[in-house]
Amino acid sequence: MKRNLILIYFIFFSGALIAQVKISSWNLQNLGKTKTEAEIKFIANTLTDFDIIALQEVVAGYGGPQAVARLADELNRSGSKWDYVISDPTKSSSPQASKRYAYIWKTSKVTLVNRPWLEKKYEDLIDREPFLASFKYQDQEFTLVNFHAIPKKKTTRNRDQIF
């Protein structure tokens, strides 16, 4: 029994030591000017313990980038310094399907490497091509892929063309 507890303790805490960067991905459904201050505060409070946040469904118009800036400002009030980057609108089959992505990160934890990009090789094959960003944590560089697919029932494109 004691041996099992020691083993469980070791597994739990060694796993906790490996996870050095906490990442969240959240589809905020039409993140734009319609989000109230109370909603922005709720979102910030929910995300404050993460180091990198990947957001999907940022409104393509002017209100989307403003909402991301409001969220980053609210996160900055939590005691950590945050920065953010927002994609251009995605190339989509209709203006309503076009969205933006965003990354928000704690500057004390990770640094952004180079400029994030929409992956152009997919823009003619899928709606909402993915948004990639590379970050550095200590000596390790890694790339995140932020992707928000259109539900199958809403698209007429053949997914086999992609693969």
Side-chain angles (χ1 to χ4, degrees):
M1 176 80 169
K2 186 175 183 180
R3 184 184 215 190
N4 288 342
L5 287 175
I6 291 172
L7 182 61
I8 290 169
Y9 181 81
F10 176 76
I11 291 170
F12 176 77
F13 284 103
S14 65
L17 294 175
I18 293 169
Q20 301 295 318
V21 178
K22 294 185 267 181
I23 301 167
S24 174
S25 177
W26 196 352
N27 177 340
L28 285 170
Q29 191 176 19
N30 295 317
L31 178 61
K33 62 185 175 185
T34 61
K35 295 293 185 203
T36 67
E37 287 307 309
E39 289 171 311
I40 294 291
K41 282 184 183 207
F42 173 80
I43 294 165
N45 287 336
T46 303
L47 295 171
T48 193
D49 290 330
F50 291 95
D51 302 314
I52 302 174
I53 303 159
L55 299 175
Q56 300 87 42
E57 226 177 288
V58 175
V59 172
Y62 183 67
Q66 282 186 325
V68 173
R70 289 172 39 217
L71 177 57
D73 185 51
E74 189 62 39
L75 284 163
N76 279 321
R77 292 186 190 129
S78 69
S80 295
K81 171 74 175 102
W82 295 79
D83 203 352
Y84 65 94
V85 64
I86 304 166
S87 74
D88 291 333
T90 59
K91 184 177 178 187
S92 299
S93 57
S94 72
Q96 296 81 14
S98 182
K99 300 290 182 190
R100 294 178 188 260
Y101 299 98
Y103 288 103
I104 305 175
W105 66 94
K106 282 183 185 166
T107 59
S108 63
K109 193 70 172 189
V110 296
T111 55
L112 184 66
V113 177
N114 299 321
R115 185 174 179 202
W117 69 98
L118 286 169
E119 186 52 68
K120 299 291 185 193
K121 76 179 189 179
Y122 295 116
E123 72 182 8
D124 292 328
L125 296 173
I126 57 176
D127 282 338
R128 300 178 185 160
E129 63 272 25
F131 186 49
L132 289 80
S134 295
F135 294 91
K136 189 171 186 179
Y137 170 73
Q138 295 177 348
D139 295 340
Q140 299 295 314
E141 189 174 310
F142 58 96
T143 301
L144 296 178
V145 179
N146 197 351
F147 179 59
H148 179 217
I150 298 284
K152 185 177 179 179
K153 65 183 177 186
K154 290 187 178 182
T155 185
T156 58
R157 295 185 186 195
N158 183 353
R159 99 174 174 83
D160 293 333
Q161 292 176 331
I162 298 168
F163 306 103

